[in-house]
Amino acid sequence: MTKSALRAVALATAMSAAAFAAHAKNPEVGGAAMFENKNIVENAMNSKDHTTLVAAVKAAGLVGTLEGKGPFTVFAPTNEAFAALPDGTVEALLKPENKAKLTKVLTCHVVAADAMAKAVAKMIKDDGGEHDIKTVGGCVLKARESMGKITLTDENGDVAHVTIADVKQSNGVIHVVDKVLLPKT
């Protein structure tokens, strides 16, 4: 009886662990699995929706930083978000002589904290419907929540929607956004 009881407990524990793992699984991004044990750069490199972002991070020399310990929250614009910028903007930013501008744009998408969507939503609620998020690049983003979705307004009044939230990384979290957030012009 002891052996069968132990087997039943072991089976129940294994089933619970499997159910929890399936429930806690990271969402896919850009058709690729995202792994909690990989860092922000490693995961972003696998997303077909973030090739422009990865190229920009490389051009700005930020790979080492975003592979670092963190924690970081990255609001990661998609390729479509970059493509929506005025013609020639991305190409100009990727030029070596514009590295400082590119770095500023990219660091306006990074927060030096591990901020899951639930925590951001609570800060928004606690602040009466809008919460200021200060980025590593010195930008202030206005976070709002409506019907369970978070939006971020940059210093120019442009609004980005979080389309995929809470993509856990070994050194923080990624929230996919549909617009490039720009510093005040």
Side-chain angles (χ1 to χ4, degrees):
M1 176 132 173
T2 311
K3 283 185 180 181
S4 62
L6 287 174
R7 282 189 195 128
V9 169
L11 180 60
T13 302
M15 289 174 65
S16 295
F20 177 78
H23 175 71
K25 185 179 177 187
N26 256 349
E28 281 192 2
V29 177
M34 297 287 115
F35 300 99
E36 287 185 50
N37 64 341
K38 291 189 177 189
N39 66 50
I40 290 165
V41 174
E42 290 170 326
N43 275 320
M45 286 177 26
N46 290 325
S47 168
K48 67 177 174 45
D49 291 345
H50 290 90
T51 56
T52 305
L53 177 62
V54 170
V57 166
K58 288 178 180 177
L62 294 173
V63 170
T65 301
L66 293 176
E67 286 179 332
K69 183 178 177 185
F72 302 109
T73 296
V74 175
F75 299 106
T78 61
N79 294 340
E80 285 182 9
F82 280 102
L85 292 171
D87 285 345
T89 302
V90 173
E91 293 79 6
L93 285 171
L94 291 175
K95 290 181 178 178
E97 62 268 25
N98 293 324
K99 184 177 179 178
K101 273 186 190 177
L102 177 61
T103 299
K104 177 74 171 176
V105 168
L106 293 174
T107 56
C108 282
H109 292 81
V110 180
V111 179
D114 190 347
M116 300 296 282
K118 188 174 181 179
V120 174
K122 181 178 181 339
M123 289 183 265
I124 293 167
K125 183 179 179 187
D126 290 349
D127 286 353
E130 180 179 280
H131 179 73
D132 286 353
I133 297 177
K134 292 178 180 71
T135 69
V136 172
C139 298
V140 177
L141 307 175
K142 303 277 184 193
R144 296 180 185 92
E145 185 269 332
S146 177
M147 297 173 36
K149 298 288 183 179
I150 293 175
T151 61
L152 303 163
T153 304
D154 68 17
E155 295 173 336
N156 300 297
D158 293 321
V159 179
H161 301 85
V162 174
T163 58
I164 302 174
D166 297 341
V167 185
K168 297 174 192 165
Q169 315 291 302
S170 65
N171 60 346
V173 62
I174 289 175
H175 301 290
V176 177
V177 294
D178 63 356
K179 189 161 206 65
V180 177
L181 302 160
L182 297 171
K184 192 166 188 145
T185 53

